[in-house]
PDB file of all heavy atoms in Angstrom:
ATOM      1  N   ASN B 129     -73.799   9.166 -43.919  1.00 96.00           N
ATOM      2  CA  ASN B 129     -74.393   8.501 -42.763  1.00 96.00           C
ATOM      3  C   ASN B 129     -74.686   9.522 -41.667  1.00 96.00           C
ATOM      4  O   ASN B 129     -73.910  10.454 -41.456  1.00 96.00           O
ATOM      5  CB  ASN B 129     -73.430   7.427 -42.250  1.00 96.00           C
ATOM      6  CG  ASN B 129     -74.069   6.560 -41.179  1.00 96.00           C
ATOM      7  OD1 ASN B 129     -74.228   6.987 -40.046  1.00 96.00           O
ATOM      8  ND2 ASN B 129     -74.481   5.358 -41.555  1.00 96.00           N
ATOM      9  N   ARG B 130     -75.780   9.322 -40.981  1.00 96.00           N
ATOM     10  CA  ARG B 130     -76.220  10.235 -39.921  1.00 96.00           C
ATOM     11  C   ARG B 130     -75.138  10.461 -38.852  1.00 96.00           C
ATOM     12  O   ARG B 130     -75.023  11.539 -38.283  1.00 96.00           O
ATOM     13  CB  ARG B 130     -77.485   9.616 -39.289  1.00 96.00           C
ATOM     14  CG  ARG B 130     -78.151  10.436 -38.223  1.00 96.00           C
ATOM     15  CD  ARG B 130     -77.785   9.981 -36.840  1.00 96.00           C
ATOM     16  NE  ARG B 130     -78.158  10.992 -35.862  1.00 96.00           N
ATOM     17  CZ  ARG B 130     -77.407  12.051 -35.568  1.00 96.00           C
ATOM     18  NH1 ARG B 130     -76.275  12.299 -36.195  1.00 96.00           N
ATOM     19  NH2 ARG B 130     -77.802  12.898 -34.628  1.00 96.00           N
ATOM     20  N   ASP B 131     -74.322   9.403 -38.619  1.00 94.00           N
ATOM     21  CA  ASP B 131     -73.281   9.507 -37.590  1.00 94.00           C
ATOM     22  C   ASP B 131     -72.193  10.525 -37.944  1.00 94.00           C
ATOM     23  O   ASP B 131     -71.410  10.913 -37.086  1.00 94.00           O
ATOM     24  CB  ASP B 131     -72.610   8.143 -37.376  1.00 94.00           C
ATOM     25  CG  ASP B 131     -73.556   7.149 -36.711  1.00 94.00           C
ATOM     26  OD1 ASP B 131     -74.561   7.602 -36.128  1.00 94.00           O
ATOM     27  OD2 ASP B 131     -73.280   5.936 -36.794  1.00 94.00           O
ATOM     28  N   ASN B 132     -72.157  10.914 -39.194  1.00 95.00           N
ATOM     29  CA  ASN B 132     -71.111  11.847 -39.620  1.00 95.00           C
ATOM     30  C   ASN B 132     -71.566  13.300 -39.640  1.00 95.00           C
ATOM     31  O   ASN B 132     -70.876  14.156 -40.199  1.00 95.00           O
ATOM     32  CB  ASN B 132     -70.593  11.444 -41.000  1.00 95.00           C
ATOM     33  CG  ASN B 132     -69.854  10.128 -40.949  1.00 95.00           C
ATOM     34  OD1 ASN B 132     -69.206   9.822 -39.955  1.00 95.00           O
ATOM     35  ND2 ASN B 132     -69.957   9.338 -42.009  1.00 95.00           N
ATOM     36  N   VAL B 133     -72.732  13.565 -39.071  1.00 97.00           N
ATOM     37  CA  VAL B 133     -73.175  14.963 -38.990  1.00 97.00           C
ATOM     38  C   VAL B 133     -73.503  15.340 -37.550  1.00 97.00           C
ATOM     39  O   VAL B 133     -73.844  14.483 -36.736  1.00 97.00           O
ATOM     40  CB  VAL B 133     -74.420  15.256 -39.877  1.00 97.00           C
ATOM     41  CG1 VAL B 133     -74.140  14.924 -41.338  1.00 97.00           C
ATOM     42  CG2 VAL B 133     -75.640  14.527 -39.373  1.00 97.00           C
ATOM     43  N   LEU B 134     -73.352  16.598 -37.268  1.00 97.00           N
ATOM     44  CA  LEU B 134     -73.726  17.136 -35.960  1.00 97.00           C
ATOM     45  C   LEU B 134     -74.707  18.280 -36.202  1.00 97.00           C
ATOM     46  O   LEU B 134     -74.422  19.204 -36.973  1.00 97.00           O
ATOM     47  CB  LEU B 134     -72.489  17.664 -35.227  1.00 97.00           C
ATOM     48  CG  LEU B 134     -72.748  18.297 -33.862  1.00 97.00           C
ATOM     49  CD1 LEU B 134     -73.026  17.217 -32.805  1.00 97.00           C
ATOM     50  CD2 LEU B 134     -71.550  19.157 -33.424  1.00 97.00           C
ATOM     51  N   LYS B 135     -75.870  18.196 -35.555  1.00 97.00           N
ATOM     52  CA  LYS B 135     -76.859  19.273 -35.648  1.00 97.00           C
ATOM     53  C   LYS B 135     -76.331  20.473 -34.869  1.00 97.00           C
ATOM     54  O   LYS B 135     -75.845  20.311 -33.741  1.00 97.00           O
ATOM     55  CB  LYS B 135     -78.174  18.776 -35.058  1.00 97.00           C
ATOM     56  CG  LYS B 135     -79.342  19.703 -35.268  1.00 97.00           C
ATOM     57  CD  LYS B 135     -80.636  19.048 -34.792  1.00 97.00           C
ATOM     58  CE  LYS B 135     -81.701  20.110 -34.585  1.00 97.00           C
ATOM     59  NZ  LYS B 135     -82.977  19.523 -34.130  1.00 97.00           N
ATOM     60  N   VAL B 136     -76.411  21.643 -35.453  1.00 98.00           N
ATOM     61  CA  VAL B 136     -75.941  22.852 -34.753  1.00 98.00           C
ATOM     62  C   VAL B 136     -77.066  23.879 -34.735  1.00 98.00           C
ATOM     63  O   VAL B 136     -77.936  23.875 -35.619  1.00 98.00           O
ATOM     64  CB  VAL B 136     -74.679  23.448 -35.436  1.00 98.00           C
ATOM     65  CG1 VAL B 136     -73.504  22.478 -35.361  1.00 98.00           C
ATOM     66  CG2 VAL B 136     -74.954  23.880 -36.869  1.00 98.00           C
ATOM     67  N   PRO B 137     -77.067  24.743 -33.734  1.00 98.00           N
ATOM     68  CA  PRO B 137     -78.152  25.731 -33.661  1.00 98.00           C
ATOM     69  C   PRO B 137     -78.053  26.742 -34.816  1.00 98.00           C
ATOM     70  O   PRO B 137     -76.960  27.078 -35.259  1.00 98.00           O
ATOM     71  CB  PRO B 137     -77.933  26.417 -32.309  1.00 98.00           C
ATOM     72  CG  PRO B 137     -76.534  26.109 -31.914  1.00 98.00           C
ATOM     73  CD  PRO B 137     -76.145  24.845 -32.590  1.00 98.00           C
ATOM     74  N   LYS B 138     -79.206  27.218 -35.256  1.00 96.00           N
ATOM     75  CA  LYS B 138     -79.201  28.163 -36.385  1.00 96.00           C
ATOM     76  C   LYS B 138     -78.630  29.527 -36.000  1.00 96.00           C
ATOM     77  O   LYS B 138     -78.195  30.285 -36.859  1.00 96.00           O
ATOM     78  CB  LYS B 138     -80.607  28.288 -36.974  1.00 96.00           C
ATOM     79  CG  LYS B 138     -80.966  27.035 -37.778  1.00 96.00           C
ATOM     80  CD  LYS B 138     -82.248  27.159 -38.565  1.00 96.00           C
ATOM     81  CE  LYS B 138     -82.466  25.848 -39.331  1.00 96.00           C
ATOM     82  NZ  LYS B 138     -83.820  25.713 -39.866  1.00 96.00           N
ATOM     83  N   LYS B 139     -78.613  29.781 -34.694  1.00 97.00           N
ATOM     84  CA  LYS B 139     -78.036  31.071 -34.262  1.00 97.00           C
ATOM     85  C   LYS B 139     -76.506  31.060 -34.346  1.00 97.00           C
ATOM     86  O   LYS B 139     -75.857  32.097 -34.224  1.00 97.00           O
ATOM     87  CB  LYS B 139     -78.498  31.430 -32.845  1.00 97.00           C
ATOM     88  CG  LYS B 139     -77.995  30.486 -31.761  1.00 97.00           C
ATOM     89  CD  LYS B 139     -78.441  30.942 -30.360  1.00 97.00           C
ATOM     90  CE  LYS B 139     -78.049  29.869 -29.340  1.00 97.00           C
ATOM     91  NZ  LYS B 139     -78.401  30.188 -27.973  1.00 97.00           N
ATOM     92  N   LEU B 140     -75.925  29.883 -34.545  1.00 97.00           N
ATOM     93  CA  LEU B 140     -74.464  29.803 -34.708  1.00 97.00           C
ATOM     94  C   LEU B 140     -74.099  30.425 -36.051  1.00 97.00           C
ATOM     95  O   LEU B 140     -74.703  30.101 -37.075  1.00 97.00           O
ATOM     96  CB  LEU B 140     -74.043  28.328 -34.670  1.00 97.00           C
ATOM     97  CG  LEU B 140     -72.557  28.016 -34.834  1.00 97.00           C
ATOM     98  CD1 LEU B 140     -71.728  28.614 -33.707  1.00 97.00           C
ATOM     99  CD2 LEU B 140     -72.346  26.496 -34.903  1.00 97.00           C
ATOM    100  N   GLY B 141     -73.131  31.334 -36.054  1.00 96.00           N
ATOM    101  CA  GLY B 141     -72.738  31.998 -37.297  1.00 96.00           C
ATOM    102  C   GLY B 141     -72.328  30.995 -38.363  1.00 96.00           C
ATOM    103  O   GLY B 141     -71.773  29.939 -38.054  1.00 96.00           O
ATOM    104  N   LEU B 142     -72.583  31.337 -39.631  1.00 96.00           N
ATOM    105  CA  LEU B 142     -72.269  30.415 -40.727  1.00 96.00           C
ATOM    106  C   LEU B 142     -70.767  30.148 -40.832  1.00 96.00           C
ATOM    107  O   LEU B 142     -70.350  29.020 -41.061  1.00 96.00           O
ATOM    108  CB  LEU B 142     -72.760  30.993 -42.057  1.00 96.00           C
ATOM    109  CG  LEU B 142     -74.127  30.539 -42.557  1.00 96.00           C
ATOM    110  CD1 LEU B 142     -74.350  31.038 -43.969  1.00 96.00           C
ATOM    111  CD2 LEU B 142     -74.263  29.013 -42.507  1.00 96.00           C
ATOM    112  N   VAL B 143     -69.954  31.173 -40.680  1.00 96.00           N
ATOM    113  CA  VAL B 143     -68.501  30.998 -40.765  1.00 96.00           C
ATOM    114  C   VAL B 143     -68.018  30.128 -39.608  1.00 96.00           C
ATOM    115  O   VAL B 143     -67.204  29.226 -39.789  1.00 96.00           O
ATOM    116  CB  VAL B 143     -67.781  32.368 -40.753  1.00 96.00           C
ATOM    117  CG1 VAL B 143     -66.275  32.188 -40.615  1.00 96.00           C
ATOM    118  CG2 VAL B 143     -68.127  33.143 -42.014  1.00 96.00           C
ATOM    119  N   GLU B 144     -68.538  30.389 -38.418  1.00 97.00           N
ATOM    120  CA  GLU B 144     -68.174  29.591 -37.245  1.00 97.00           C
ATOM    121  C   GLU B 144     -68.564  28.133 -37.458  1.00 97.00           C
ATOM    122  O   GLU B 144     -67.793  27.220 -37.167  1.00 97.00           O
ATOM    123  CB  GLU B 144     -68.848  30.137 -35.976  1.00 97.00           C
ATOM    124  CG  GLU B 144     -68.192  31.384 -35.386  1.00 97.00           C
ATOM    125  CD  GLU B 144     -68.372  32.646 -36.230  1.00 97.00           C
ATOM    126  OE1 GLU B 144     -69.322  32.696 -37.035  1.00 97.00           O
ATOM    127  OE2 GLU B 144     -67.553  33.569 -36.077  1.00 97.00           O
ATOM    128  N   ALA B 145     -69.768  27.907 -37.982  1.00 98.00           N
ATOM    129  CA  ALA B 145     -70.225  26.531 -38.210  1.00 98.00           C
ATOM    130  C   ALA B 145     -69.379  25.841 -39.284  1.00 98.00           C
ATOM    131  O   ALA B 145     -68.938  24.705 -39.113  1.00 98.00           O
ATOM    132  CB  ALA B 145     -71.698  26.530 -38.613  1.00 98.00           C
ATOM    133  N   ALA B 146     -69.115  26.555 -40.369  1.00 97.00           N
ATOM    134  CA  ALA B 146     -68.380  25.957 -41.495  1.00 97.00           C
ATOM    135  C   ALA B 146     -66.961  25.565 -41.095  1.00 97.00           C
ATOM    136  O   ALA B 146     -66.384  24.639 -41.660  1.00 97.00           O
ATOM    137  CB  ALA B 146     -68.339  26.930 -42.668  1.00 97.00           C
ATOM    138  N   THR B 147     -66.410  26.256 -40.118  1.00 97.00           N
ATOM    139  CA  THR B 147     -65.004  26.027 -39.748  1.00 97.00           C
ATOM    140  C   THR B 147     -64.868  25.452 -38.338  1.00 97.00           C
ATOM    141  O   THR B 147     -63.782  25.440 -37.773  1.00 97.00           O
ATOM    142  CB  THR B 147     -64.217  27.354 -39.819  1.00 97.00           C
ATOM    143  OG1 THR B 147     -64.820  28.287 -38.914  1.00 97.00           O
ATOM    144  CG2 THR B 147     -64.217  27.931 -41.222  1.00 97.00           C
ATOM    145  N   LEU B 148     -65.962  24.950 -37.780  1.00 97.00           N
ATOM    146  CA  LEU B 148     -65.933  24.453 -36.403  1.00 97.00           C
ATOM    147  C   LEU B 148     -65.172  23.139 -36.251  1.00 97.00           C
ATOM    148  O   LEU B 148     -64.445  22.928 -35.272  1.00 97.00           O
ATOM    149  CB  LEU B 148     -67.381  24.282 -35.903  1.00 97.00           C
ATOM    150  CG  LEU B 148     -67.618  23.484 -34.610  1.00 97.00           C
ATOM    151  CD1 LEU B 148     -66.846  24.084 -33.436  1.00 97.00           C
ATOM    152  CD2 LEU B 148     -69.106  23.452 -34.273  1.00 97.00           C
ATOM    153  N   SER B 149     -65.290  22.250 -37.199  1.00 96.00           N
ATOM    154  CA  SER B 149     -64.867  20.861 -36.964  1.00 96.00           C
ATOM    155  C   SER B 149     -63.359  20.629 -37.064  1.00 96.00           C
ATOM    156  O   SER B 149     -62.887  19.564 -36.679  1.00 96.00           O
ATOM    157  CB  SER B 149     -65.607  19.915 -37.916  1.00 96.00           C
ATOM    158  OG  SER B 149     -65.041  19.963 -39.197  1.00 96.00           O
ATOM    159  N   VAL B 150     -62.594  21.573 -37.580  1.00 96.00           N
ATOM    160  CA  VAL B 150     -61.150  21.348 -37.707  1.00 96.00           C
ATOM    161  C   VAL B 150     -60.347  22.212 -36.727  1.00 96.00           C
ATOM    162  O   VAL B 150     -59.812  21.714 -35.733  1.00 96.00           O
ATOM    163  CB  VAL B 150     -60.653  21.545 -39.164  1.00 96.00           C
ATOM    164  CG1 VAL B 150     -59.135  21.414 -39.237  1.00 96.00           C
ATOM    165  CG2 VAL B 150     -61.303  20.526 -40.092  1.00 96.00           C
TER     166      VAL B 150
END
Side-chain angles (χ1 to χ4, degrees):
Chain B
N129 188 285
R130 183 261 165 277
D131 291 342
N132 293 327
V133 302
L134 178 75
K135 189 173 162 180
V136 296
K138 286 189 179 166
K139 66 177 173 179
L140 179 63
L142 264 189
V143 171
E144 282 70 22
T147 60
L148 167 57
S149 78
V150 175

